[in-house]
Amino acid sequence: MIRSTAFVAALAIATPAVAQDFDGPLKGRQGMFQILAINLGIIGDMAKGETEYDAEQAQMAADNLVAITSINPLPLFPEGSDNEALDGTRALPAIWENVDDLGAKWADLGEAAAGMQEVAGNGREALGPALGPVGNACKNCHDEYRASPE
Amino acid sequence: MRKLLIPLAALIVLIGAAGLWLTRAQPVDAARFEGLEGDAAAGETVFIAAGCASCHHAPEAEGEAELVLAGGQRFPSEFGTFVAPNISPSSEGIGDWTLADFAGALTRGVSPEGTHYYPAFPYTAYTRMADADIADLWAYMRTLPADPTPSAAHEVGFPFNIRRGLGLWNTLYLSEDWVMPADTAELERGRYLVEVLAHCGECHTPRGALGGLDTGDWLGGAANPAGDGRIPSLRPGALDWSANDIAYYLESGFTPAYDSVGGHMVAVVDNFAQLPAGDRAAVAAYLKALPEG
């Protein structure tokens, strides 16, 4: 057993990672961001006036934002899954120079989502001001850690 | 690239020798700004729209510290790496300049000593800045904190380290003509914001071999000098968002699908979020009026 673990470890070091190894984490994290965007869209369209304000829907979407951001995202960002090593991702290598900072920026989003959760049911006017910090938290991370689209 | 450099070097040297007059720096006439009193409060809006701090604040500055224009951010390009200088009101910055010196830098790309600046400083956009805006901007920038950090040298090799050659470049690419027509007050404001102050074309328009903007493909999307991804086209054929969506993106950073802005566009959104809603709407109107493809 010990021998075969060592063998596997050696193999892992010797062969460059193949894309399939990261299929799960890539799908996982991109799906996680899509879930964020979809729920944010429910709230954003109400704030913009594109859909009727609906307290229950707004609250549900805000609760979802809080639920998603309570996940620790780091397992979805294994070392070597950056956009220089792999196709199909826009995650910049800079993430792995400071993984703790990625965690901190995710935590900032969690705080902003909690702020939204508190007020989402209080009427359309409450949404705009709570969206500001959420948008800033998304932006701050994309600014440093996400490449522009191809 | 190598292959291209040698004829280019020869060209620049040849033309430099043959026509020194073509490459001379042309400062602005000091009399043009005499008696023009700037309004610092109005200058703040110009400053935000023009994104001066985005390039000139210190590399890791955030929040209030972004108003300390100490320089030091690096801008890689295929001609070398440019380092933004100190433009705070200290003697290491532009504290000893006059308003006319400042106008010469912004609208002609020349220093008070008469040397050419590199177009990494977007004077090719600022060249059409209104005199009153220049005076307001100047008044505002005098109120910002002074910083003693000396400006760093650019890391640019031969032949691009010969600033004189830029005089020739300017005869090719420094133009006071508008790119797009504008026949309403809103479109005019949008055009002034897009083509001049916010210099959107610097990122969103592709460049030719000499680094000049290809105005034939104005805002048609370009390679990203930061090396990651592409900078998207803003033509209606590619950007099919409504005017409202565009204005909302400039305010919140959210796309119509509620993805959130990233990369170098973040600083632009951070600036536009501070401008009046009418300015964001004007930019949106301008983009909607661009040619389709």
Side-chain angles (χ1 to χ4, degrees):
Chain A
M1 186 60 209
I2 288 179
R3 251 163 94 202
S4 78
T5 320
F7 174 69
V8 169
L11 196 75
I13 293 163
T15 54
V18 282
Q20 287 93 314
D21 296 349
F22 293 111
D23 213 29
L26 254 55
K27 279 200 181 117
R29 71 195 184 206
Q30 289 168 3
M32 171 179 81
F33 291 121
Q34 290 295 348
I35 300 173
L36 278 179
I38 288 167
N39 283 283
L40 203 62
I42 295 171
I43 297 170
D45 280 347
M46 289 181 196
K48 258 189 183 172
E50 286 188 0
T51 53
E52 283 287 314
Y53 176 75
D54 175 332
E56 230 171 83
Q57 286 292 309
Q59 192 64 56
M60 179 271 293
D63 292 346
N64 282 348
L65 292 181
V66 170
I68 302 288
T69 50
S70 71
I71 295 173
N72 183 332
L74 295 186
L76 303 176
F77 287 91
E79 186 101 31
S81 64
D82 57 85
N83 74 334
E84 276 175 16
L86 304 173
D87 287 336
T89 174
R90 290 157 66 193
L92 290 171
I95 291 174
W96 289 271
E97 283 161 26
N98 192 351
V99 176
D100 290 345
D101 188 50
L102 187 87
K105 289 187 157 63
W106 186 253
D108 290 345
L109 178 61
E111 238 172 75
M116 175 61 78
Q117 187 179 38
E118 262 175 46
V119 302
N122 299 353
R124 175 174 174 259
E125 293 69 36
L127 299 179
L131 267 174
V134 175
N136 284 339
C138 314
K139 251 189 330 195
N140 284 343
C141 193
H142 291 176
D143 184 0
E144 278 178 56
Y145 297 128
R146 189 179 73 167
S148 299
E150 277 310 323
Chain B
M1 193 60 216
R2 262 276 142 78
K3 251 162 105 195
L4 206 109
L5 279 180
I6 294 167
L8 208 70
L11 185 81
I12 289 176
V13 170
L14 212 141
I15 292 177
L20 275 177
W21 65 274
L22 252 186
T23 60
R24 74 202 186 281
Q26 297 174 311
V28 303
D29 186 2
R32 187 171 129 193
F33 288 92
E34 240 161 58
L36 203 57
E37 268 306 314
D39 167 1
E44 184 179 12
T45 306
V46 179
F47 180 79
I48 292 168
C52 313
S54 309
C55 286
H56 285 280
H57 70 59
E60 300 299 330
E62 271 179 41
E64 279 290 294
E66 291 185 6
L67 293 177
V68 184
L69 305 179
Q73 285 183 61
R74 299 165 62 81
F75 299 94
S77 80
E78 51 182 316
F79 307 105
T81 295
F82 300 96
V83 187
N86 182 334
I87 59 162
S88 76
S90 78
S91 53
E92 291 295 343
I94 58 173
D96 303 329
W97 288 25
T98 65
L99 171 56
D101 290 339
F102 183 63
L106 285 173
T107 63
R108 301 281 169 84
V110 298
S111 74
E113 294 77 37
T115 55
H116 291 291
Y117 290 123
Y118 291 102
F121 167 32
Y123 63 83
T124 48
Y126 300 147
T127 186
R128 283 158 292 173
M129 213 187 269
D131 286 359
D133 280 356
I134 296 174
D136 291 347
L137 177 61
W138 178 241
Y140 172 71
M141 287 179 63
R142 309 295 284 174
T143 69
L144 296 177
D147 181 277
T149 314
S151 298
H154 303 309
E155 291 151 27
V156 178
F158 183 81
F160 305 111
N161 55 356
I162 305 175
R163 285 182 182 261
R164 187 94 202 192
L166 288 160
L168 178 73
W169 192 91
N170 285 339
T171 64
L172 294 173
Y173 295 112
L174 183 60
S175 161
E176 293 192 7
D177 297 339
W178 297 105
V179 181
M180 291 291 298
D183 49 21
T184 66
E186 185 177 55
L187 281 175
E188 263 179 31
R189 178 66 184 164
R191 179 173 71 175
Y192 185 61
L193 286 162
V194 170
E195 295 190 13
V196 182
L197 295 185
H199 57 274
C200 314
E202 293 291 314
C203 294
H204 285 277
T205 301
R207 291 172 190 276
L210 292 172
L213 295 182
D214 175 6
T215 47
D217 195 9
W218 183 241
L219 301 176
N224 191 344
D228 50 63
R230 259 187 82 74
I231 300 183
S233 168
L234 302 181
R235 300 283 194 98
L239 187 72
D240 57 0
W241 306 356
S242 72
N244 252 342
D245 288 338
I246 295 171
Y248 188 69
Y249 176 76
L250 292 171
E251 179 186 1
S252 68
F254 292 130
T255 71
Y258 291 89
D259 188 354
S260 165
V261 61
H264 283 312
M265 189 61 200
V266 169
V268 179
V269 170
D270 283 343
N271 290 335
F272 268 77
Q274 301 173 58
L275 295 180
D279 279 352
R280 292 187 291 268
V283 168
Y286 174 96
L287 294 187
K288 294 302 284 182
L290 285 171
E292 189 66 21

